[in-house]
PDB file of all heavy atoms in Angstrom:
ATOM      1  N   LYS M 196      47.181  -2.615 -30.102  1.00  0.00           N
ATOM      2  CA  LYS M 196      46.711  -1.818 -28.967  1.00  0.00           C
ATOM      3  C   LYS M 196      45.300  -2.242 -28.577  1.00  0.00           C
ATOM      4  O   LYS M 196      44.489  -2.595 -29.442  1.00  0.00           O
ATOM      5  CB  LYS M 196      46.707  -0.328 -29.318  1.00  0.00           C
ATOM      6  CG  LYS M 196      48.074   0.308 -29.445  1.00  0.00           C
ATOM      7  CD  LYS M 196      47.938   1.813 -29.680  1.00  0.00           C
ATOM      8  CE  LYS M 196      49.291   2.499 -29.730  1.00  0.00           C
ATOM      9  NZ  LYS M 196      49.163   3.969 -29.945  1.00  0.00           N
ATOM     10  N   VAL M 197      45.022  -2.187 -27.275  1.00  0.00           N
ATOM     11  CA  VAL M 197      43.664  -2.411 -26.801  1.00  0.00           C
ATOM     12  C   VAL M 197      43.226  -1.211 -25.970  1.00  0.00           C
ATOM     13  O   VAL M 197      44.046  -0.557 -25.315  1.00  0.00           O
ATOM     14  CB  VAL M 197      43.523  -3.702 -25.961  1.00  0.00           C
ATOM     15  CG1 VAL M 197      43.875  -4.919 -26.783  1.00  0.00           C
ATOM     16  CG2 VAL M 197      44.378  -3.634 -24.710  1.00  0.00           C
ATOM     17  N   SER M 198      41.944  -0.926 -26.012  1.00  0.00           N
ATOM     18  CA  SER M 198      41.367   0.148 -25.211  1.00  0.00           C
ATOM     19  C   SER M 198      39.892  -0.147 -25.018  1.00  0.00           C
ATOM     20  O   SER M 198      39.377  -1.174 -25.494  1.00  0.00           O
ATOM     21  CB  SER M 198      41.561   1.507 -25.901  1.00  0.00           C
ATOM     22  OG  SER M 198      40.963   1.513 -27.186  1.00  0.00           O
ATOM     23  N   GLY M 199      39.194   0.745 -24.322  1.00  0.00           N
ATOM     24  CA  GLY M 199      37.783   0.519 -24.065  1.00  0.00           C
ATOM     25  C   GLY M 199      37.559  -0.276 -22.793  1.00  0.00           C
ATOM     26  O   GLY M 199      38.400  -0.290 -21.889  1.00  0.00           O
ATOM     27  N   THR M 200      36.440  -0.969 -22.730  1.00  0.00           N
ATOM     28  CA  THR M 200      36.065  -1.666 -21.502  1.00  0.00           C
ATOM     29  C   THR M 200      35.576  -3.078 -21.777  1.00  0.00           C
ATOM     30  O   THR M 200      35.248  -3.443 -22.907  1.00  0.00           O
ATOM     31  CB  THR M 200      34.941  -0.908 -20.767  1.00  0.00           C
ATOM     32  OG1 THR M 200      33.779  -0.844 -21.608  1.00  0.00           O
ATOM     33  CG2 THR M 200      35.385   0.503 -20.398  1.00  0.00           C
ATOM     34  N   GLY M 201      35.526  -3.867 -20.697  1.00  0.00           N
ATOM     35  CA  GLY M 201      34.997  -5.215 -20.747  1.00  0.00           C
ATOM     36  C   GLY M 201      34.224  -5.514 -19.480  1.00  0.00           C
ATOM     37  O   GLY M 201      34.281  -4.753 -18.499  1.00  0.00           O
ATOM     38  N   ASN M 202      33.505  -6.627 -19.473  1.00  0.00           N
ATOM     39  CA  ASN M 202      32.711  -7.033 -18.317  1.00  0.00           C
ATOM     40  C   ASN M 202      33.467  -8.063 -17.498  1.00  0.00           C
ATOM     41  O   ASN M 202      34.086  -8.978 -18.049  1.00  0.00           O
ATOM     42  CB  ASN M 202      31.377  -7.616 -18.769  1.00  0.00           C
ATOM     43  CG  ASN M 202      30.519  -6.604 -19.488  1.00  0.00           C
ATOM     44  OD1 ASN M 202      30.461  -5.441 -19.084  1.00  0.00           O
ATOM     45  ND2 ASN M 202      29.863  -7.020 -20.557  1.00  0.00           N
ATOM     46  N   GLY M 203      33.389  -7.917 -16.171  1.00  0.00           N
ATOM     47  CA  GLY M 203      34.078  -8.847 -15.289  1.00  0.00           C
ATOM     48  C   GLY M 203      33.186  -9.336 -14.175  1.00  0.00           C
ATOM     49  O   GLY M 203      32.126  -8.768 -13.898  1.00  0.00           O
ATOM     50  N   GLN M 204      33.624 -10.402 -13.537  1.00  0.00           N
ATOM     51  CA  GLN M 204      32.869 -10.948 -12.418  1.00  0.00           C
ATOM     52  C   GLN M 204      33.775 -11.766 -11.511  1.00  0.00           C
ATOM     53  O   GLN M 204      34.776 -12.347 -11.954  1.00  0.00           O
ATOM     54  CB  GLN M 204      31.723 -11.829 -12.913  1.00  0.00           C
ATOM     55  CG  GLN M 204      32.167 -13.016 -13.740  1.00  0.00           C
ATOM     56  CD  GLN M 204      31.019 -13.870 -14.238  1.00  0.00           C
ATOM     57  OE1 GLN M 204      31.235 -14.969 -14.737  1.00  0.00           O
ATOM     58  NE2 GLN M 204      29.791 -13.397 -14.116  1.00  0.00           N
ATOM     59  N   PHE M 205      33.428 -11.775 -10.227  1.00  0.00           N
ATOM     60  CA  PHE M 205      34.022 -12.697  -9.269  1.00  0.00           C
ATOM     61  C   PHE M 205      33.132 -13.934  -9.212  1.00  0.00           C
ATOM     62  O   PHE M 205      31.914 -13.843  -9.339  1.00  0.00           O
ATOM     63  CB  PHE M 205      34.099 -12.064  -7.875  1.00  0.00           C
ATOM     64  CG  PHE M 205      35.070 -10.929  -7.760  1.00  0.00           C
ATOM     65  CD1 PHE M 205      34.617  -9.613  -7.798  1.00  0.00           C
ATOM     66  CD2 PHE M 205      36.427 -11.173  -7.604  1.00  0.00           C
ATOM     67  CE1 PHE M 205      35.505  -8.557  -7.689  1.00  0.00           C
ATOM     68  CE2 PHE M 205      37.329 -10.124  -7.495  1.00  0.00           C
ATOM     69  CZ  PHE M 205      36.866  -8.808  -7.537  1.00  0.00           C
ATOM     70  N   ARG M 206      33.758 -15.086  -9.002  1.00  0.00           N
ATOM     71  CA  ARG M 206      33.006 -16.313  -8.850  1.00  0.00           C
ATOM     72  C   ARG M 206      33.615 -17.141  -7.720  1.00  0.00           C
ATOM     73  O   ARG M 206      34.792 -17.014  -7.386  1.00  0.00           O
ATOM     74  CB  ARG M 206      32.987 -17.109 -10.158  1.00  0.00           C
ATOM     75  CG  ARG M 206      31.962 -16.573 -11.168  1.00  0.00           C
ATOM     76  CD  ARG M 206      30.558 -16.711 -10.623  1.00  0.00           C
ATOM     77  NE  ARG M 206      29.522 -16.212 -11.500  1.00  0.00           N
ATOM     78  CZ  ARG M 206      28.956 -15.012 -11.395  1.00  0.00           C
ATOM     79  NH1 ARG M 206      29.389 -14.159 -10.485  1.00  0.00           N
ATOM     80  NH2 ARG M 206      27.968 -14.662 -12.191  1.00  0.00           N
ATOM     81  N   GLY M 207      32.773 -18.034  -7.147  1.00  0.00           N
ATOM     82  CA  GLY M 207      33.158 -18.804  -5.980  1.00  0.00           C
ATOM     83  C   GLY M 207      32.561 -18.167  -4.735  1.00  0.00           C
ATOM     84  O   GLY M 207      32.394 -16.944  -4.670  1.00  0.00           O
ATOM     85  N   ALA M 208      32.236 -18.962  -3.743  1.00  0.00           N
ATOM     86  CA  ALA M 208      31.572 -18.454  -2.538  1.00  0.00           C
ATOM     87  C   ALA M 208      32.317 -17.297  -1.899  1.00  0.00           C
ATOM     88  O   ALA M 208      31.709 -16.340  -1.411  1.00  0.00           O
ATOM     89  CB  ALA M 208      31.394 -19.602  -1.535  1.00  0.00           C
ATOM     90  N   ASN M 209      33.640 -17.362  -1.903  1.00  0.00           N
ATOM     91  CA  ASN M 209      34.461 -16.322  -1.289  1.00  0.00           C
ATOM     92  C   ASN M 209      35.193 -15.466  -2.321  1.00  0.00           C
ATOM     93  O   ASN M 209      36.183 -14.816  -2.002  1.00  0.00           O
ATOM     94  CB  ASN M 209      35.476 -16.959  -0.335  1.00  0.00           C
ATOM     95  CG  ASN M 209      34.817 -17.772   0.743  1.00  0.00           C
ATOM     96  OD1 ASN M 209      34.038 -17.245   1.531  1.00  0.00           O
ATOM     97  ND2 ASN M 209      35.103 -19.068   0.776  1.00  0.00           N
ATOM     98  N   GLY M 210      34.716 -15.506  -3.554  1.00  0.00           N
ATOM     99  CA  GLY M 210      35.376 -14.746  -4.618  1.00  0.00           C
ATOM    100  C   GLY M 210      36.709 -15.333  -5.005  1.00  0.00           C
ATOM    101  O   GLY M 210      37.681 -14.612  -5.239  1.00  0.00           O
ATOM    102  N   GLU M 211      36.768 -16.666  -5.124  1.00  0.00           N
ATOM    103  CA  GLU M 211      38.039 -17.335  -5.420  1.00  0.00           C
ATOM    104  C   GLU M 211      38.556 -17.057  -6.822  1.00  0.00           C
ATOM    105  O   GLU M 211      39.762 -17.151  -7.062  1.00  0.00           O
ATOM    106  CB  GLU M 211      37.892 -18.850  -5.235  1.00  0.00           C
ATOM    107  CG  GLU M 211      37.745 -19.312  -3.800  1.00  0.00           C
ATOM    108  CD  GLU M 211      36.313 -19.289  -3.298  1.00  0.00           C
ATOM    109  OE1 GLU M 211      35.434 -18.758  -4.014  1.00  0.00           O
ATOM    110  OE2 GLU M 211      36.076 -19.802  -2.193  1.00  0.00           O
ATOM    111  N   ALA M 212      37.686 -16.762  -7.767  1.00  0.00           N
ATOM    112  CA  ALA M 212      38.086 -16.539  -9.155  1.00  0.00           C
ATOM    113  C   ALA M 212      37.590 -15.180  -9.627  1.00  0.00           C
ATOM    114  O   ALA M 212      36.571 -14.662  -9.158  1.00  0.00           O
ATOM    115  CB  ALA M 212      37.532 -17.639 -10.054  1.00  0.00           C
ATOM    116  N   ALA M 213      38.329 -14.603 -10.573  1.00  0.00           N
ATOM    117  CA  ALA M 213      37.918 -13.343 -11.197  1.00  0.00           C
ATOM    118  C   ALA M 213      38.214 -13.443 -12.684  1.00  0.00           C
ATOM    119  O   ALA M 213      39.317 -13.840 -13.081  1.00  0.00           O
ATOM    120  CB  ALA M 213      38.661 -12.157 -10.587  1.00  0.00           C
ATOM    121  N   ALA M 214      37.237 -13.096 -13.504  1.00  0.00           N
ATOM    122  CA  ALA M 214      37.400 -13.204 -14.951  1.00  0.00           C
ATOM    123  C   ALA M 214      36.849 -11.949 -15.624  1.00  0.00           C
ATOM    124  O   ALA M 214      35.941 -11.296 -15.115  1.00  0.00           O
ATOM    125  CB  ALA M 214      36.690 -14.444 -15.481  1.00  0.00           C
ATOM    126  N   VAL M 215      37.438 -11.633 -16.779  1.00  0.00           N
ATOM    127  CA  VAL M 215      37.043 -10.451 -17.550  1.00  0.00           C
ATOM    128  C   VAL M 215      36.989 -10.834 -19.023  1.00  0.00           C
ATOM    129  O   VAL M 215      37.823 -11.626 -19.485  1.00  0.00           O
ATOM    130  CB  VAL M 215      38.060  -9.297 -17.376  1.00  0.00           C
ATOM    131  CG1 VAL M 215      37.594  -8.054 -18.138  1.00  0.00           C
ATOM    132  CG2 VAL M 215      38.297  -8.974 -15.910  1.00  0.00           C
ATOM    133  N   VAL M 216      36.029 -10.284 -19.751  1.00  0.00           N
ATOM    134  CA  VAL M 216      36.004 -10.482 -21.189  1.00  0.00           C
ATOM    135  C   VAL M 216      35.635  -9.170 -21.864  1.00  0.00           C
ATOM    136  O   VAL M 216      34.752  -8.443 -21.421  1.00  0.00           O
ATOM    137  CB  VAL M 216      35.022 -11.612 -21.600  1.00  0.00           C
ATOM    138  CG1 VAL M 216      33.591 -11.267 -21.239  1.00  0.00           C
ATOM    139  CG2 VAL M 216      35.148 -11.927 -23.079  1.00  0.00           C
ATOM    140  N   GLY M 217      36.383  -8.842 -22.914  1.00  0.00           N
ATOM    141  CA  GLY M 217      36.086  -7.679 -23.742  1.00  0.00           C
ATOM    142  C   GLY M 217      35.926  -8.126 -25.180  1.00  0.00           C
ATOM    143  O   GLY M 217      36.564  -9.090 -25.618  1.00  0.00           O
ATOM    144  N   ASP M 218      35.080  -7.428 -25.930  1.00  0.00           N
ATOM    145  CA  ASP M 218      34.773  -7.832 -27.298  1.00  0.00           C
ATOM    146  C   ASP M 218      34.585  -6.572 -28.137  1.00  0.00           C
ATOM    147  O   ASP M 218      33.876  -5.651 -27.721  1.00  0.00           O
ATOM    148  CB  ASP M 218      33.497  -8.677 -27.310  1.00  0.00           C
ATOM    149  CG  ASP M 218      33.256  -9.394 -28.629  1.00  0.00           C
ATOM    150  OD1 ASP M 218      33.530  -8.797 -29.692  1.00  0.00           O
ATOM    151  OD2 ASP M 218      32.785 -10.538 -28.589  1.00  0.00           O
TER     152      ASP M 218
END
Side-chain angles (χ1 to χ4, degrees):
K196 289 185 177 181
V197 298
S198 59
T200 61
N202 297 320
Q204 60 181 191
F205 292 100
R206 281 296 179 262
N209 302 300
E211 289 86 351
V215 183
V216 63
D218 192 322

